[in-house]
Amino acid sequence: MSDVVKRVGDRIRRLRKDKGLSQEQLAELSGLHTNYVGQVERGEKNLTIETLQKIVGGLGVSLEELFRYLDPMERKDTLGQIVEMLSERSAQDQVMALRVLQTVLDWEKSKD
């Protein structure tokens, strides 16, 4: 399969794990067979839009969230580097990084 199919499968796996779901649970929530979910996550199946809609429904995310950060950003400015680093981390790590950033910005604002 193509690289994009593999990246979509990896993204689905990451979102599923971030939500604490097993493949079996995601399959049940999505109305799909467990083996099919495994094939999707391994990049062995080329998905239809309808199947993607079922999977994001099972995950409780939007299509936009599924595809967010799927491709590396072309601009490698500081913001792009931050987004790229965080996109590879768990949701819990992203929340922690947001809290740290907010603390730094609040501290900076209080100096004025």
Side-chain angles (χ1 to χ4, degrees):
M1 282 289 151
S2 72
D3 182 54
V4 71
V5 174
K6 176 78 171 111
R7 287 183 288 149
V8 168
D10 289 342
R11 179 76 173 139
I12 290 169
R13 179 182 296 114
R14 181 182 310 275
L15 290 168
R16 175 182 60 78
K17 287 184 174 185
D18 284 349
K19 299 209 174 270
L21 297 173
S22 67
Q23 285 184 344
E24 293 79 13
Q25 290 169 317
L26 177 57
E28 185 174 326
L29 291 169
S30 303
L32 300 169
H33 194 278
T34 302
N35 292 343
Y36 188 80
V37 171
Q39 291 171 328
V40 166
E41 288 187 356
R42 291 188 299 274
E44 297 171 357
K45 288 290 182 186
N46 197 3
L47 302 170
T48 65
I49 300 289
E50 291 169 344
T51 303
L52 279 173
Q53 187 65 48
K54 289 178 181 181
I55 290 172
V56 297
L59 289 169
V61 299
S62 66
L63 281 169
E64 187 275 330
E65 187 173 351
L66 173 67
F67 287 108
R68 189 182 307 154
Y69 316 125
L70 194 60
D71 284 326
M73 295 182 74
E74 297 211 7
R75 58 176 225 215
K76 294 293 183 182
D77 60 5
T78 305
L79 182 57
Q81 291 173 18
I82 291 168
V83 169
E84 190 171 331
M85 286 172 44
L86 288 175
S87 70
E88 297 172 358
R89 304 301 301 203
S90 69
Q92 184 179 7
D93 287 353
Q94 292 173 9
V95 168
M96 182 175 54
L98 177 62
R99 288 182 184 143
V100 169
L101 179 60
Q102 190 62 56
T103 300
V104 169
L105 294 175
D106 289 347
W107 174 76
E108 184 68 28
K109 191 186 297 184
S110 72
K111 292 186 340 182
D112 292 340

